[in-house]
Amino acid sequence: MTDLADLTIVAAGRGLRSGEFSSVDLLDAVTRRASITEAQLHAYLTLDKKGARSAAEAADAAFADGKDVGPLQGIPIALKDNMCTIGVETTAASQMLAGWKPPYDATVVRRLKDAGAVVTGKTNLDEFAMGSSTENSAFGETRNPWNPDFVPGGSSGGSAAAVAVGSAFGAFGSDTGGSIRQPAALCGVVGMKPTYGLVSRYGLIAFASSLDQIGPFARSVEDSATLLDAIAGWDRFDSTSIDGAVPNFSGSLDGGVGGLRIGIVSDLMGEGIDTQVRGAVSGMADKLSEAGAEVVEVGLPSTEFALSAYYLIAPAECSSNLARFDGVRYGHRSNVEGTTEDMMSHTRAEGFGPEVIRRILLGTYALSAGYYDAFYGQAQRVRTLVRRDFASAYEKVDVLISPTSPTTAFPVGERSADPIAMYYSDVCTIPSNLSGEPAISVPIGLDDKGLPIGFQVMAPSLGEELMYRVAAAVESISEFTKRAPLASSEVVAP
Ligand code: GLN
């Protein structure tokens, strides 16, 4: 008998509707799974047992009344702890916000609740989403469910790990430079970043506003599309949200790759990419071509500079966004005696961890008079070049493919003392953040250490349907259904 915690969202939804089990049963299954895995994993910062229980009971009551608001009704879902949840602690994994309970729900959270989802709790992350390993959390790191000596990736490592072990059926994270796709790759689950503006950022604690996007983690491509369906679309509370018709993503999975032109990004297949990762990605490219796609090599020459541009733009925006944490309105306030300025500077020194401080210093410097054009201005020009590279690639091909991460998971502690090595983890994911275009990571196999390898599919702006169609083909070709050893059994396909 399959443990309910191992079902996909789609399979769980079928069981709920046939009356085979209830939403409370599903919640009990993920809670049981969390009680087995959390001691080693630490995927969650907060488990909202009471709130989840009453949401699950409400979903069961709705089913009993014949009310059905859609595929997420009664499904336990986790949220990265940088999304505001009314009355439930939201910390961004920072001492600065320890104990803070937001007075409102983020738009994504409100939409999930309206869709009948059961919010299980808040997952761990690198402080303020700055990092690639979830080691920068002020409340202890999350571990990789395939091998707890390794990192889960980051910054949404808690969400990725929870979905991988079945302590949630799906989860949401935020992706500024790869924070959904890279941990998804390292934990063997599906993670996607939507087109900038497709999903509201209202209530997401801001890191770098021109790059931040919320997106889903799931155990199948179909689940991922189902989760995106529930949250996408215009929001009057986010001035950058796109006002337009939203397609039905979960209805866009069939069709295969026959006749499609697929570009494999040569600049992301060379030096610095682990040989096993490269081998798995080119093996998949061959299979896509056997399945009827025309696969060609495509260059994105400016990607060479994308990482450097990102590590100026993101810190610059973060230095501005994080200026609000000054001890005055909310969050930590230092007890130091002295002037207001003393209070503010001590508050910030006490509340922020070392990586956040490094980013604020870098960003403030890059924006300062006399340096602005040389650093920030130059980085913005590189961003334009990256966008142009993508635009000219999409004149030749329909979608682009690459590894998601240059390596599989790395040991805990290995890169934490070396920021440059850590930053390099994002080399394959950052270009799509700079261009604002959608991208997804799909697991395609394991390396010889038994750690998952992620395959990235990138598409033009608002090309999610095509991206999902290719991702579904990759998923079915790879037949990757293995589950992290920390979870007990196999995922049941829908
Ligand atoms: N790892 C990248 C960084 O540290 C990306 C983070 C993110 O996407 N939130 O900035």
Side-chain angles (χ1 to χ4, degrees), residues 80 129-132 154-155 174-179 207 310-311 359 426:
K80 185 178 185 179
M130 297 172 197
S132 309
S155 64
S174 60
D175 191 313
T176 305
S179 278
F207 164 13
Y310 170 88
Y311 276 102
R359 304 276 180 117
D426 308 317

Side-chain angles (χ1 to χ4, degrees), residues 266-309:
S266 50
D267 302 86
L268 299 176
M269 287 293 280
E271 208 194 323
I273 307 295
D274 173 85
T275 51
Q276 291 184 60
V277 171
R278 198 188 309 157
V281 170
S282 56
M284 177 54 71
D286 292 344
K287 289 190 184 138
L288 289 169
S289 117
E290 282 161 29
E294 185 194 332
V295 181
V296 293
E297 277 199 18
V298 172
L300 292 177
S302 311
T303 49
E304 189 186 342
F305 311 108
L307 196 64
S308 315

Side-chain angles (χ1 to χ4, degrees), residues 7-19 21 26 63 68 70-73 75 169:
L7 296 176
T8 60
I9 291 173
V10 173
R14 256 205 307 275
L16 284 173
R17 282 165 188 80
S18 67
F21 43 76
L26 294 179
F63 280 123
D68 192 342
L72 296 189
Q73 181 165 307
I75 305 290
F169 285 86

Side-chain angles (χ1 to χ4, degrees), residues 388-413:
R388 283 191 196 148
D389 274 4
F390 275 110
S392 65
Y394 289 130
E395 282 170 15
K396 298 183 221 95
V397 296
D398 300 303
V399 295
L400 292 167
I401 56 173
S402 77
T404 307
S405 162
T407 66
T408 55
F410 44 93
V412 171

Side-chain angles (χ1 to χ4, degrees), residues 199-246:
V199 174
S200 170
R201 292 180 293 108
Y202 179 72
L204 170 70
I205 295 173
F207 164 13
S209 305
S210 77
L211 300 158
D212 298 341
Q213 270 295 282
I214 292 175
F217 286 92
R219 294 194 292 242
S220 73
V221 171
E222 187 177 21
D223 280 5
S224 171
T226 303
L227 290 166
L228 183 61
D229 280 334
I231 61 160
W234 180 75
D235 176 25
R236 71 190 174 96
F237 295 123
D238 176 357
S239 62
T240 61
S241 95
I242 298 170
D243 190 359
V246 178

